[in-house]
Amino acid sequence: MTEKNFIVPASEFNTQIAGSVNAKSPSNIALVKYWGKTSPQIPTNPSISYTLTQSFTETQLNFAPKKAEFSNISVRLNGEEQPNFVPKIQQFFDRIHAYAPYLQDFDFEIITSNSFPHSSGIASSASGMSALAKCLLLLEEKMLFFVENPLQRASFMARLGSGSACRSLYPGLVAWGKSSFLPQSSDLFAVPVDTKIHPIFTQFEDTILLIHEGSKSVSSTVGHQLMNGHPYAAKRFDEAKQNIGKLLEILQNGDLESFGNLCEHEALSLHAVMLMSKPPYILMMPNTIAVINKIWEFRKETNLPLFFTLDAGANIHLLYPTNEKEKIRDYIEKELLTYCQNGKAIYDFVNFENL
Ligand code: PMV
């Protein structure tokens, strides 16, 4: 598949319709991280994520033939008009123009809400952009345009909105980026990981400790850019590529300890390249470090499989198998919630069901 396969001539679409479509899409958490990209949104290394359940975006897209020369876009989040979101949506629509030429013929009203608090520091771009891409596919159906593989097309479009969003189209374990370990993988869209997965990894918890609510000091966009010319970039990309192979092996053989070591190393490598960027930056907070040390202590004392990963932010994702939920939840509530800014966590878990 190449980009050309996704191009559709404007004549294929009847844009003289008005109506509304709705879609819901979850967030995802990367185990092997994507950090660094080339234009247009091509990842510098492959990544694998778990699709989540409780953290999602719901979007309604109202459309009508445009009334003026240029199409109008308005965005409402949780009931409030958000003019500052419009440039991001406009940039997304500009990027997918060749693939969705009908966009310029409509006025759009985007009404969206997240299941998680907007200020929680949880990135809404993965769930938000994938929900919007799903809406576009539904709009295409209303224009009687059908493709053989709508999820792949939605993933291709979502990627151009936000890289990690392309993985949110599929449940379970999802890969994005060409990898020699996954023959069906692509830089252009995500694919479900189709190897046999050990049952221990099919029921997994992700408790998100909200260490710091609010926006972060350096955005992901800037973070990706800082990987250009980064002195350690080549080493990082190489290691991530190898880690895909290692993770796939672990996912098959059910080795929890190696899983935890690999996920934690990936998370710390992501933050290490931030520390070594020029200019440097730190997204972890003192409580992020305190919790990491607590997790390592807890593991040493109890031998229970509680691991962590990090996004590009201060919050901690606690990873543990569902069959150990009782004991680990108890520890989280008694010992870890106190490190959260408002004592809050999101008890999410992996979704292997059809989305
Ligand atoms: O999709 P973006 O541009 O928000 O970047 C996401 C980067 C990480 O969340 C840190 C890693 C990943 O693979 O999701």
Side-chain angles (χ1 to χ4, degrees):
M1 279 299 241
T2 68
E3 267 131 340
K4 283 205 184 94
N5 294 95
F6 294 92
I7 294 177
V8 187
S11 57
E12 290 276 333
F13 302 101
N14 165 21
T15 54
Q16 291 309 304
I17 58 167
S20 172
V21 287
N22 290 280
K24 175 177 165 183
S25 194
S27 187
N28 67 73
I29 180 67
L31 306 174
V32 174
K33 311 281 179 185
Y34 142 66
W35 199 239
K37 61 180 170 185
T38 58
S39 186
Q41 299 273 95
I42 299 297
T44 36
N45 65 261
S47 54
I48 290 184
S49 58
Y50 261 146
T51 295
L52 299 177
T53 312
Q54 302 289 82
S55 310
F56 56 83
T57 298
E58 283 178 298
T59 298
Q60 179 179 332
L61 180 70
N62 297 336
F63 53 91
K66 68 177 177 185
K67 290 194 201 71
E69 189 190 347
F70 294 106
S71 69
N72 182 59
I73 301 172
S74 69
V75 182
R76 290 178 87 79
L77 173 70
N78 300 331
E80 270 180 48
E81 195 82 32
Q82 298 284 349
N84 51 330
F85 280 26
V86 175
K88 180 105 188 143
I89 304 290
Q90 190 61 62
Q91 184 193 40
F92 172 45
F93 284 3
D94 290 346
R95 279 197 194 144
I96 59 174
H97 181 253
Y99 315 106
Y102 51 84
L103 291 173
Q104 64 184 24
D105 296 330
F106 287 106
D107 284 337
F108 289 110
E109 189 186 14
I110 299 167
I111 301 170
T112 190
S113 62
N114 297 325
S115 64
F116 45 91
H118 178 54
S119 63
S120 62
I122 304 285
S124 56
S125 60
S127 54
M129 285 299 177
S130 51
L132 188 51
K134 278 186 185 173
C135 284
L136 295 181
L137 265 285
L138 293 171
L139 165 58
E140 291 181 0
E141 277 181 25
K142 297 240 176 210
M143 292 186 282
L144 305 179
F145 176 80
F146 299 95
V147 286
E148 213 172 284
N149 193 339
L151 282 179
Q152 185 185 73
R153 182 165 165 83
S155 176
F156 173 87
M157 298 229 244
R159 176 194 115 241
L160 291 160
S162 166
S164 55
C166 74
R167 297 185 308 237
S168 279
L169 275 303
Y170 298 98
L173 286 149
V174 185
W176 169 43
K178 191 73 203 144
S179 166
S180 54
F181 298 102
L182 287 164
Q184 80 284 22
S185 60
S186 168
D187 283 342
L188 302 180
F189 46 80
V191 295
V193 171
D194 64 356
T195 49
K196 208 168 168 355
I197 307 293
H198 189 282
I200 195 76
F201 294 120
T202 60
Q203 290 197 305
F204 231 76
E205 303 294 306
D206 176 6
T207 300
I208 311 165
L209 296 179
L210 304 177
I211 302 286
H212 177 73
E213 304 193 27
S215 56
K216 48 200 182 191
S217 56
V218 175
S219 69
S220 285
T221 309
V222 173
H224 286 293
Q225 276 166 11
L226 287 171
M227 289 304 277
N228 296 331
H230 189 297
Y232 293 87
K235 175 73 194 133
R236 162 68 201 143
F237 301 149
D238 217 43
E239 195 184 36
K241 284 176 194 162
Q242 297 312 317
N243 280 347
I244 295 285
K246 287 185 186 162
L247 180 61
L248 290 172
E249 214 179 294
I250 291 167
L251 291 170
Q252 286 169 64
N253 66 25
D255 179 354
L256 263 180
E257 192 182 339
S258 301
F259 174 83
N261 288 340
L262 188 140
C263 290
E264 292 187 356
H265 180 75
E266 271 290 315
L268 294 174
S269 302
L270 169 72
H271 285 260
V273 291
M274 295 175 186
L275 296 173
M276 293 185 288
S277 285
K278 288 180 182 162
Y281 60 106
I282 305 177
L283 297 184
M284 289 187 285
M285 294 277 175
N287 279 357
T288 314
I289 315 263
V291 171
I292 290 175
N293 280 311
K294 291 281 289 181
I295 294 167
W296 286 340
E297 245 172 60
F298 174 78
R299 267 216 312 270
K300 215 163 152 189
E301 279 167 17
T302 64
N303 247 326
L304 286 169
L306 171 63
F307 310 105
F308 71 85
T309 187
L310 304 164
D311 251 338
N315 295 331
I316 296 211
H317 288 249
L318 297 169
L319 300 172
Y320 50 101
T322 304
N323 66 8
E324 301 283 8
K325 191 165 131 181
E326 301 297 305
K327 285 175 250 169
I328 292 179
R329 275 283 169 86
D330 190 52
Y331 175 73
I332 294 172
E333 276 158 23
K334 287 199 181 110
E335 298 285 337
L336 300 184
L337 288 187
T338 162
Y339 292 91
C340 299
Q341 195 173 1
N342 294 308
K344 276 192 301 200
I346 298 172
Y347 294 96
D348 214 328
F349 52 93
V350 173
N351 185 353
F352 271 83
E353 305 282 305
N354 269 340
L355 297 178

